[in-house]
């Protein structure tokens, strides 16, 4: 191979490496924002679908000699059955049914199995979520809540409005000691407290249903 051809080959290789470095740089700079936008967009669509379904009238059909109530459902078990909204920390997030595969702190805000849904009087709706800076850290700002802050749960075509009544810390042992008024319908939020070996518990009481 002549020196001229060798130089030409080296230049081509350098151009290829340079192009690859540029592509990697672009992916590094813009990859995460694009991914975050797509996740945000998908979440917005699912929440909007939830609200639209809440507005729909129940459908009834005649079946032989009786009436059966039919509710529209997706075949997808990741359909939202409720939405939590906390204006102070700008949180609006869909919740999946307890039996759903997306009802997990590693994917979403989790409805704990010890919970009862908001329409059950004097019971407790318990939600757990990650704090921190990850994409699934939906409770990252829960530690900014204060007494009397408002939280809404949209469920069963109604809005359940709660007010924060108590905030306290517990040891991170895998079990949560929930201190609440058993004569009140309550909402409990549980999350980790920073890098500490503690968890934050926020107790809210139902004030009105719209």
């Amino acid at each position: 191979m002549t020196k001229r051809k060798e130089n030409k080959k080296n230049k081509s290789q350098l151009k290829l490496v340079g192009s690859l470095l540029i592509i990697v740089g672009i992916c590094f700079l813009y990859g995460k924002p694009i991914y975050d936008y797509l996740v945000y967009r998908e979440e917005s669509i699912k929440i909007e679908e939830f609200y639209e379904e809440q507005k729909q009238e129940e459908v009834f059909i005649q079946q032989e000699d009786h009436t059966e109530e039919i509710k529209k459902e997706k075949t997808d078990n990741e359909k939202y059955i409720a939405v939590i909204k906390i204006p102070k920390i700008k949180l609006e997030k869909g919740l999946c049914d307890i039996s759903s595969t997306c009802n997990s702190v590693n994917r979403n805000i989790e409805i704990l199995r010890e919970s009862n849904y908001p329409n059950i009087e004097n019971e407790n709706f318990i939600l757990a979520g990650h704090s921190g800076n990850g994409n699934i850290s939906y409770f990252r700002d829960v530690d900014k809540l204060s007494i009397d802050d408002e939280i809404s749960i949209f469920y069963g075509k109604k809005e359940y409005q709660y007010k924060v009544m108590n905030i306290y810390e517990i040891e991170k042992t895998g079990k949560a000691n929930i201190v609440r008024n058993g004569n009140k319908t309550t909402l409990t939020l549980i999350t980790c407290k920073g890098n500490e070996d503690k968890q934050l518990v926020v107790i809210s009481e139902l004030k009105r249903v719209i």
Side-chain angles (χ1 to χ4, degrees), residues 7 18-19 23 25 28 48 51 54-55 59-60 77 92 94-95 104-105 118 127 135 140 146 154 164 171 200:
N7 288 337
S19 299
I23 292 171
F28 180 79
E48 186 61 32
Y51 287 136
Q54 295 296 291
K55 295 176 184 177
V59 179
F60 292 86
N77 75 341
E92 186 174 21
L95 307 175
S104 164
V105 290
L127 304 178
N135 290 329
R140 63 174 59 90
S146 306
F154 296 86
V164 176
E171 295 295 327
L200 191 68

Side-chain angles (χ1 to χ4, degrees), residues 45 59 69 77 86 123 129 143 149 165 177 181 187 198:
I45 291 171
V59 179
E69 181 179 342
N77 75 341
I86 310 180
E123 293 296 338
D143 61 342
D149 282 339
M165 304 301 292
N177 182 24
N181 185 341
L187 165 69
K198 294 183 180 295

Side-chain angles (χ1 to χ4, degrees), residues 64-108:
E64 295 180 353
D65 59 347
H66 64 280
T67 301
E68 181 179 355
E69 181 179 342
I70 304 297
K71 294 185 178 180
K72 294 183 180 179
E73 294 184 353
K74 288 184 178 180
T75 56
D76 184 346
N77 75 341
E78 296 192 357
K79 166 189 170 184
Y80 290 153
I81 54 93
V83 167
I84 180 172
K85 188 172 184 179
I86 310 180
K88 182 176 181 179
I89 60 175
K90 298 179 181 179
L91 174 66
E92 186 174 21
K93 186 73 185 74
L95 307 175
C96 296
D97 186 76
I98 289 178
S99 61
S100 170
T101 55
C102 82
N103 185 50
S104 164
V105 290
N106 294 321
R107 296 188 61 187
N108 199 13

Side-chain angles (χ1 to χ4, degrees), residues 23-205:
I23 292 171
V24 170
I26 291 173
C27 290
F28 180 79
L29 288 173
Y30 299 105
K32 189 175 186 304
I34 291 173
Y35 173 79
D36 289 345
Y37 170 77
L38 292 175
V39 171
Y40 168 78
R41 179 62 181 164
E42 182 182 2
E43 176 69 12
S44 299
I45 291 171
K46 291 174 77 172
I47 287 177
E48 186 61 32
E49 287 177 351
F50 168 82
Y51 287 136
E52 284 300 317
E53 287 186 3
Q54 295 296 291
K55 295 176 184 177
Q56 290 175 359
E57 294 293 328
E58 294 176 348
V59 179
F60 292 86
I61 63 170
Q62 293 294 328
Q63 208 172 63
E64 295 180 353
D65 59 347
H66 64 280
T67 301
E68 181 179 355
E69 181 179 342
I70 304 297
K71 294 185 178 180
K72 294 183 180 179
E73 294 184 353
K74 288 184 178 180
T75 56
D76 184 346
N77 75 341
E78 296 192 357
K79 166 189 170 184
Y80 290 153
I81 54 93
V83 167
I84 180 172
K85 188 172 184 179
I86 310 180
K88 182 176 181 179
I89 60 175
K90 298 179 181 179
L91 174 66
E92 186 174 21
K93 186 73 185 74
L95 307 175
C96 296
D97 186 76
I98 289 178
S99 61
S100 170
T101 55
C102 82
N103 185 50
S104 164
V105 290
N106 294 321
R107 296 188 61 187
N108 199 13
I109 295 171
E110 181 176 351
I111 303 173
L112 298 190
R113 294 190 176 276
E114 297 80 3
S115 293
N116 289 102
Y117 284 109
N119 59 322
I120 308 299
E121 188 176 359
N122 297 339
E123 293 296 338
N124 193 17
F125 190 45
I126 313 170
L127 304 178
H130 282 305
S131 58
N133 298 313
N135 290 329
I136 58 171
S137 300
Y138 300 112
F139 277 1
R140 63 174 59 90
D141 292 324
V142 163
D143 61 342
K144 296 177 183 177
L145 294 177
S146 306
I147 303 300
D148 290 337
D149 282 339
E150 297 180 350
I151 303 174
S152 287
I153 298 290
F154 296 86
Y155 173 74
K157 301 186 179 182
K158 294 181 180 179
E159 178 183 357
Y160 296 81
Q161 297 181 345
Y162 299 82
K163 185 172 286 189
V164 176
M165 304 301 292
N166 191 17
I167 301 172
Y168 60 92
E169 296 177 10
I170 58 175
E171 295 295 327
K172 191 175 180 180
T173 62
K175 294 183 179 181
N177 182 24
I178 297 175
V179 181
R180 74 181 190 93
N181 185 341
N183 295 318
K184 299 285 186 178
T185 303
T186 54
L187 165 69
T188 299
L189 310 182
I190 303 173
T191 191
C192 293
K193 191 174 187 300
N195 295 322
E196 301 175 24
D197 229 6
K198 294 183 180 295
Q199 288 182 305
L200 191 68
V201 180
V202 179
I203 306 290
S204 303
E205 294 181 356

